[in-house]
């Protein structure tokens, strides 16, 4: 289990992580979701004792990272696949890690086999493709057969095959009863990978709940209506608590369901050409939720405003 | 012991340390060969003369030791290291020991190699090690390179960037210490106590005289040789302590 309690990190003027508290339970994949710059990587570095928190603690099975005896046997992590010396072979890279935590060297061959890198084990890691580097990173994380695993954006830059491979891998690890925390800035990806979500924005916790609940609550249900008598339908719907907006030649209605709209249309003798319930897109929902917490958006908006002012 | 093995694997599983070692050895032995071959008579070649290339070898050894740390920061393997060994003191200490020991052995081999090549080229020169000062000059080289490596590792930990750390070390040890002598009135007195100058005193100083040896590696320090070594070793340890304290406080 991983526990963050009031975790806070300040870099100069930037408050990267702000009073963040959440827990990560074993036996399922927990998605750590947030837009770019939300503080996911920073939080993970603090969990591993690499960055010192400004306030708060991150506990690994109830202990500080630096109190762990052979940490690689308890918690494996892949924060960045490029954290390898380019002129060192994959085998040598894993070997020094194994020796440092008294892990038998035969385990190095095992994990290389597991991620499918046996054939290139003696090649220099600098020549690896992104997918291979990612696999080497995963091999390093699995080296000590740890009960807890952290992965920071493991599918970034991978092709669909690689993404599928990693997703299945995560599920297998969780099914084995391990604690798995995977970060991502894509809700669509997390909806397929994670059973539980910890959502952050601007360093703050936005929600921690099951993926299903989160998506259900976050996505707005709308109904798409097309009719040759749009204005008549509008008037009829105006009396209800429906919200409407135009989308090309269609009307997007929210607040009332398709059945109600059909009945209202019938009662008012409005012809309908289409009446289809829509599920709001995940990404839209996510942007809505983290909207005011996206770091760069405000700055971007401001600079656009300035440019407009200048042009006037 | 485990951590020493880890650092040994890390140091020798990339190519640059091997290149540095070959270069240091080649430079020092090469200079010894050059100097003794160009001497017009055997009387011009002696034990100190065979060590002519030492300052070049030392420069390369400083680079080797610095790289062992700065490349870890450059490629972020320092993070993986601290992840595997959360006690930064133990991890950095182990690295320092392995690098310093390597530098020490390298210095020793280079010194004896230089002596050997010189006596091979000038068989009639007096190359016998028949005084404490002679032995100190040759065998002591290993001790100086050992502590110099500790200084370089410390600077590497503090600066973290290869270019910065290497330039500081080379500019300081090769140029800055000597320039201090140009400061009016106090320059010479300060120079006497600067660490690399003092380290040379250990190698070339003769206890019978205050300042005797002239030529490459001459020192203006007036300390007894072993006190000079203790001074240099103390300096390296202070640097290491500062570096480790800073590394523990900083984010990896
Ligand atoms: N070492 C550092 N020094 C200064 N600022 C930092 C440092 N690391 C992160 N930050 C800042 O902290 C904030 C959070 O960054 P972090 O990398 O944790 O976000 P993230 O959620 O991982 O983003 P991404 O999805 O882009 O990886 C950002 O504003 C970033 O600029
Ligand atoms: Mg990140």
């Amino acid at each position: 289990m991983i526990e963050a309690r009031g975790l806070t990190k300040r870099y100069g003027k930037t408050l990267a992580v702000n009073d963040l508290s959440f827990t990560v339970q074993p036996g399922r994949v927990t998605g750590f979701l947030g837009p770019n710059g939300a503080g996911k990587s920073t939080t993970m570095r603090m969990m591993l004792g690499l960055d010192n928190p400004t306030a708060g603690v991150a506990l690994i099975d109830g202990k500080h990272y630096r109190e762990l005896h052979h940490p690689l046997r308890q918690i494996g992590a892949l924060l960045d696949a490029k954290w390898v010396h380019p002129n060192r072979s994959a085998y040598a890279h894993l070997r020094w890690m194994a020796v440092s935590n008294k892990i038998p060297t035969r385990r190095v061959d095992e994990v290389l086999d597991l991620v499918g890198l046996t054939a290139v084990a003696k090649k220099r890691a600098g020549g690896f493709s992104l997918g291979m580097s990612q696999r080497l990173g995963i091999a390093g994380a699995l080296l000590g057969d740890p009960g807890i695993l952290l992965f920071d954006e493991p599918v970034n830059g991978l092709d669909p095959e690689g993404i599928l491979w990693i997703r299945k891998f995560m599920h297998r690890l969780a099914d084995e009863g391990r604690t798995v925390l995977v970060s991502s800035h894509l809700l669509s990806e997390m909806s397929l990978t994670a059973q539980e979500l910890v959502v952050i924005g601007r360093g703050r916790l936005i929600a921690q709940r099951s993926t299903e609940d989160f998506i259900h609550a976050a996505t707005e249900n709308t109904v798409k209506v097309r009719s040759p008598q749009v204005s008549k339908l509008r008037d009829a719907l105006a009396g209800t608590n429906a919200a409407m907006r135009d989308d090309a030649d269609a009307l997007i209605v929210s607040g009332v369901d398709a059945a109600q709209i059909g009945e209202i249309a019938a009662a008012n003798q409005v012809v309908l050409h289409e009446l289809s319930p829509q599920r709001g897109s995940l990404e839209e929902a996510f942007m809505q939720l983290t909207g005011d917490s996206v770091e760069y958006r405000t700055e971007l908006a401001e600079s656009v405003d300035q440019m407009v002012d200048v042009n006037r | 012991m485990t951590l020493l093995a880890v650092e040994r694997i890390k140091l020798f599983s990339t190519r640059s340390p091997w290149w540095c070692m070959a270069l240091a050895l080649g430079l020092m032995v090469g200079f010894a060969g050059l100097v003794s071959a160009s001497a017009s008579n055997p009387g011009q070649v002696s034990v100190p003369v065979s060590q002519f290339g030492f300052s070049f070898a030392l420069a390369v050894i400083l680079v080797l030791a610095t790289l062992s740390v700065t490349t870890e920061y450059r490629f972020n393997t320092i993070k993986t290291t601290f992840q595997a060994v959360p006690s930064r003191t133990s991890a950095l200490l182990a690295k320092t020991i392995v690098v310093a020991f390597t530098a020490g052995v390298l210095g020793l081999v280079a010194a004896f190699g230089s002596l050997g090549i010189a006596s091979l080229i000038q068989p009639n020169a007096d190359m016998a090690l028949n005084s404490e000062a002679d032995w100190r000059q040759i065998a002591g080289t290993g001790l100086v390179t050992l502590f110099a490596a500790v200084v370089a590792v410390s600077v590497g930990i503090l600066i973290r960037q290869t270019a910065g750390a290497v330039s500081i070390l080379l500019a300081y040890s090769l140029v800055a210490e000597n320039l201090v002598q140009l400061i009016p009135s106090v320059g010479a007195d300060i120079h006497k106590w600067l660490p690399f100058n003092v380290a040379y005193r250990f190698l070339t100083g003769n206890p019978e005289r205050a300042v005797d040896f002239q030529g490459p590696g001459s020192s203006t320090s007036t300390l007894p040789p072993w006190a000079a070594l203790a001074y240099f070793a103390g300096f390296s340890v202070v640097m290491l302590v500062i570096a480790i304290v800073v590394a523990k406080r900083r984010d990896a």
Side-chain angles (χ1 to χ4, degrees):
Chain A
M1 192 177 95
I2 312 173
E3 196 184 349
R5 268 196 226 148
L7 213 49
T8 303
K9 180 70 186 182
R10 182 180 282 285
Y11 296 108
K13 279 170 72 185
T14 326
L15 192 56
V17 176
N18 187 357
D19 195 19
L20 196 56
S21 301
F22 63 90
T23 55
V24 186
Q25 300 291 344
R28 59 188 160 190
V29 177
T30 302
F32 191 26
L33 195 60
N36 291 129
K40 305 178 295 290
S41 304
T42 305
T43 303
M44 288 182 152
R45 284 199 303 274
M46 288 193 282
M47 288 173 170
L48 296 173
L50 296 175
D51 282 19
N52 306 312
T54 309
V57 285
L59 299 176
I60 309 301
D61 284 335
K63 283 187 183 164
H64 282 279
Y65 190 88
R66 62 169 177 277
E67 292 165 359
L68 303 179
H69 184 41
H70 283 308
L72 299 185
R73 296 199 213 163
Q74 268 186 64
I75 174 166
L78 165 57
L79 290 203
D80 191 327
K82 291 192 196 73
W83 289 359
V84 179
H85 194 301
N87 289 330
R88 193 174 280 139
S89 71
Y91 183 84
H93 174 72
L94 293 173
R95 195 163 99 83
W96 76 253
M97 287 174 71
V99 170
S100 71
N101 276 241
K102 293 207 162 72
I103 297 163
T105 28
R106 96 183 106 77
R107 177 73 186 155
V108 172
D109 298 312
E110 272 173 35
V111 291
L112 280 168
D113 195 42
L114 204 63
V115 299
L117 286 181
T118 308
V120 292
K122 302 280 172 168
K123 295 243 158 66
R124 46 184 290 272
F128 283 10
S129 71
L130 185 61
M132 289 158 83
S133 303
Q134 214 82 349
R135 283 163 189 254
L136 177 57
I138 290 177
L142 295 173
L143 194 61
D145 197 16
I148 304 177
L149 288 141
L150 294 187
F151 298 99
D152 194 6
E153 314 236 6
V155 301
N156 243 12
L158 292 191
D159 58 16
E161 195 190 347
I163 293 177
L164 194 65
W165 183 81
I166 290 204
R167 196 183 294 152
K168 283 188 178 160
F169 212 91
M170 305 277 149
H171 287 152
R172 209 174 93 198
L173 293 170
D175 289 345
E176 289 167 359
R178 299 178 211 257
T179 307
V180 183
L181 182 66
V182 193
S183 83
S184 173
H185 58 268
L186 297 174
L187 179 55
S188 52
E189 168 58 30
M190 280 296 102
S191 69
L192 297 169
T193 310
Q195 287 102 46
E196 172 98 2
L197 288 180
V198 172
V199 186
I200 66 167
R202 284 214 155 186
R204 287 188 148 277
L205 186 71
I206 291 176
Q208 169 163 27
R209 59 209 300 189
S210 78
T211 310
E212 207 181 336
D213 278 1
F214 181 82
I215 289 170
H216 191 76
T219 52
E220 168 201 34
N221 288 316
T222 58
V223 184
K224 186 176 184 183
V225 190
R226 286 196 309 132
S227 162
Q229 297 158 284
V230 176
S231 54
K232 200 171 171 191
L233 182 63
R234 264 183 204 281
D235 294 342
L237 287 171
T240 67
N241 55 356
M244 289 166 279
R245 65 185 152 89
D246 288 306
D247 181 31
D249 63 335
L251 193 66
I252 307 291
V253 186
S254 58
V256 287
D257 64 15
Q260 284 171 294
I261 296 170
E263 280 160 25
I264 291 168
N268 291 277
Q269 300 196 313
V270 173
V271 176
L272 296 185
H273 286 174
E274 184 182 349
L275 178 66
S276 51
Q278 314 268 308
R279 194 114 177 101
S281 99
L282 283 180
E283 296 311 327
E284 249 173 20
F286 179 50
M287 271 166 58
Q288 223 168 28
L289 252 168
T290 57
D292 44 311
S293 56
V294 176
E295 186 175 17
Y296 304 107
R297 181 173 304 159
T298 47
E299 287 169 18
L300 194 67
E302 274 166 20
S303 55
V304 168
D305 285 349
Q306 276 168 6
M307 276 161 63
V308 171
D309 283 346
V310 169
N311 289 340
R312 252 184 219 140
Chain B
M1 278 328 274
T2 313
L3 295 185
L4 297 184
V6 169
E7 292 302 330
R8 198 197 65 228
I9 297 172
K10 278 204 276 185
L11 185 63
F12 294 112
S13 57
T14 63
R15 244 174 277 150
S16 73
W18 293 104
W19 283 111
C20 286
M21 293 197 302
L23 185 63
L25 204 62
L27 272 176
M28 190 154 165
V29 175
F31 266 110
L34 211 67
V35 170
S36 35
S38 59
S40 48
N41 66 69
Q44 287 179 339
V45 179
S46 62
V47 173
V49 167
S50 74
Q51 305 297 298
F52 185 83
F54 175 68
S55 53
F56 300 101
L58 182 64
V60 178
I61 289 171
L62 289 174
V63 172
L64 168 105
T66 314
L67 281 177
S68 75
V69 187
T70 52
T71 52
E72 288 234 39
Y73 280 101
R74 162 88 171 76
F75 299 118
N76 285 303
T77 48
I78 194 76
K79 296 200 174 91
T80 321
T81 301
F82 290 157
Q83 206 180 306
V85 187
S87 162
R88 296 186 187 181
T89 307
S90 316
L92 294 173
L93 216 51
K95 175 180 284 300
T96 311
I97 291 171
V98 169
V99 173
F101 183 75
T102 306
V105 171
L106 182 61
L108 207 60
V109 171
F112 276 103
S114 302
L115 184 75
I117 200 92
S119 39
L120 216 66
I121 292 173
Q122 294 285 358
N124 296 326
D126 176 19
M127 302 300 276
L129 300 178
N130 41 27
S131 72
E132 192 263 352
D134 284 346
W135 274 104
R136 185 154 35 74
Q137 173 136 42
I138 305 300
T141 301
L143 291 170
V144 171
T145 52
L146 185 151
F147 291 116
V150 175
V151 175
V153 166
S154 312
V155 172
I157 294 172
L158 288 170
I159 308 285
R160 297 194 274 194
Q161 269 150 11
T162 304
V166 167
S167 353
I168 287 180
L169 274 164
L170 294 189
Y172 177 79
S173 66
L174 296 176
V175 185
E177 279 202 357
N178 288 323
L179 287 185
V180 167
Q181 292 182 91
L182 301 179
I183 300 172
S185 66
V186 289
D189 285 336
I190 297 174
H191 183 248
K192 265 186 200 172
W193 294 98
L194 294 180
F196 284 88
N197 181 34
V198 174
Y200 277 117
R201 169 72 182 165
F202 169 69
L203 290 180
T204 56
N206 189 323
E208 263 84 74
R209 279 163 291 178
V211 177
D212 54 345
F213 178 74
Q214 300 294 315
S218 64
S219 168
T220 59
S221 167
T222 49
L223 285 174
W226 286 96
L229 180 72
Y231 180 88
F232 187 58
F235 170 73
S236 73
V237 170
V238 169
M239 289 294 289
L240 183 62
V241 170
I242 294 172
I244 289 179
V245 168
V246 169
K248 282 180 71 148
R249 291 218 183 148
R250 271 191 313 215
D251 293 332

